[in-house]
Amino acid sequence: MNDTLDVVLRLVAVLVVFLVFPLLVGQTEHKVMAHMQGRLGPMYAGGFHGWAQLVADGVKFAQKEDIVPADADRRVFQLAPAVALLPYLLVLIAIPVGPDGFVGQTLDAGLIFVLAVMGVGVLGSLMAGWASANKFSLLGGLRTAAQLMAYELPMLLTAASVAMAAGTLSLPGILDGYHWWWTPWQLVGGVVFFTAGLAELQRPPFDMPVADSEIIFGAYTEYTGLRFALFLLAEYAGIVVLCALTTVLFLGGWHGPWSGSAGWVWTLVKTALLAFVVIWLRVSYPRLREDQLQKLAWTVLIPLSLAQIALTGVVKVVIS
């Protein structure tokens, strides 16, 4: 009975995080962009500091008509938002928040599980682009596929470097083996991993699959109402997952002063700071062209990730 209750409580906690944290990131993005770019709109809804902007957005999406194009593949079109969103819920189950089993579920191959499931989320965009019966949506889907193939490789290679350093594929095991000097040792890998993750999430400046000035809104052009809102929620959930995973792999996760009692606080603080960086990048850099995006992956990120793996191997041999 106690084991069943423990599992239920862990799942409820993961579900609450999944439902609340992406919305907090969305609200923070409104406010940060409003301050950085002098936007007045997001600062008015509800009065003080525009506190009701997120509520207003939710009401707006709920009131919009749900339209499915006549020539669309109806079932695939309707299923795509769920395929884009739900993988991030599964990923959160395996990410450790604090020491002493503070994780939804400990998996021996947690790193492989997390990266594999994150890759599935991108399929939602591919399904949306293919099923919409719209040439702009199809172009957005094709760009998504090309981006996935280019940026999945450096992401996997840099994650493998951390697994080599720790000698385990378990995320709690990686944190158990963490030392402070791992952060400078794996710094290049961390930057590559974070950059590749942003590209997979199609966040600016890597948002060519949804380039509004070229292909309207890419794979999501035909979506309205709550289905479109689910795609936005999937983007914010992806930000939470990417930042939490970067924190665990490269920034020591719950390690910090008083980590025994406040380890979960360190995880949340590091994740929040990385989420702020994601928003900061959106307002600071223009969108890359498709050729620039591919060139960055194949000529910069992949060589750097291979160099990081080589460095990790050399250091491991020297240490042993």
Side-chain angles (χ1 to χ4, degrees):
M1 182 64 183
N2 290 335
D3 290 342
T4 302
L5 181 61
D6 181 63
V7 170
V8 171
L9 290 176
R10 288 171 184 264
L11 292 178
V12 170
V14 170
L15 184 60
V16 169
V17 170
F18 177 71
L19 294 176
V20 174
F21 279 36
L23 297 180
L24 291 177
V25 172
Q27 179 78 340
T28 303
E29 182 167 65
H30 278 116
K31 304 310 171 189
V32 171
M33 292 179 67
H35 282 295
M36 287 187 172
Q37 296 183 327
R39 297 185 179 193
L40 298 180
M43 307 303 288
Y44 275 89
F48 175 71
H49 212 259
W51 65 268
Q53 181 62 48
L54 197 65
V55 178
D57 285 342
V59 172
K60 175 187 70 175
F61 284 125
Q63 288 180 332
K64 285 188 175 181
E65 183 180 2
D66 182 20
I67 299 174
V68 178
D71 295 330
D73 188 329
R74 196 175 190 87
R75 290 194 176 184
V76 177
F77 183 89
Q78 294 173 336
L79 188 61
V83 173
L85 178 61
L86 290 180
Y88 297 116
L89 172 60
L90 296 177
V91 169
L92 285 174
I93 293 175
I95 295 180
V97 179
D100 304 322
F102 201 159
V103 59
Q105 178 62 49
T106 301
L107 302 175
D108 292 337
L111 182 58
I112 294 178
F113 171 80
V114 165
L115 294 175
V117 175
M118 285 179 68
V120 172
V122 183
L123 294 179
S125 300
L126 300 180
M127 292 169 63
W130 173 257
S132 293
N134 179 305
K135 62 183 179 181
F136 296 109
S137 298
L138 182 58
L139 283 173
L142 292 175
R143 288 185 176 186
T144 299
Q147 202 156 307
L148 172 65
M149 287 188 290
Y151 284 87
E152 186 77 11
L153 185 55
M155 199 172 183
L156 291 172
L157 289 173
T158 48
S161 173
V162 176
M164 285 175 59
T168 178
L169 291 170
S170 168
L171 294 178
I174 289 173
L175 287 177
D176 288 339
Y178 176 81
H179 300 284
W180 69 267
W181 45 270
W182 278 22
T183 297
W185 175 22
Q186 301 290 334
L187 180 61
V188 172
V191 173
V192 171
F193 183 89
F194 190 67
T195 304
L198 288 179
E200 283 205 8
L201 293 176
Q202 302 164 30
R203 288 284 302 183
F206 305 104
D207 58 337
M208 285 305 298
V210 292
D212 53 283
S213 59
E214 299 175 16
I215 51 177
I216 306 179
F217 209 67
Y220 319 124
T221 299
E222 298 289 357
Y223 283 87
T224 60
L226 290 177
R227 297 188 197 280
F228 181 74
L230 287 178
F231 277 116
L232 292 182
L233 185 61
E235 179 179 328
Y236 291 128
I239 292 173
V240 173
V241 167
L242 172 65
C243 295
L245 196 56
T246 304
T247 295
V248 169
L249 294 178
F250 299 98
L251 299 179
W254 45 260
H255 285 278
W258 307 291
S259 59
S261 58
W264 62 274
V265 175
W266 282 110
T267 301
L268 294 182
V269 168
K270 294 174 185 177
T271 301
L273 289 175
L274 288 176
F276 175 78
V277 171
V278 172
I279 299 169
W280 194 357
L281 289 173
R282 173 174 181 173
V283 299
S284 301
Y285 290 96
R287 179 185 299 126
L288 296 177
R289 296 196 314 264
E290 186 67 27
D291 61 305
Q292 292 173 328
L293 188 143
Q294 294 292 330
K295 184 177 181 180
L296 176 66
W298 294 105
T299 65
V300 178
L301 297 187
I302 290 178
L304 284 176
S305 59
L306 290 172
Q308 179 66 71
I309 280 192
L311 175 62
T312 300
V314 170
V315 173
K316 286 288 287 184
V317 169
V318 171
I319 292 177
S320 61

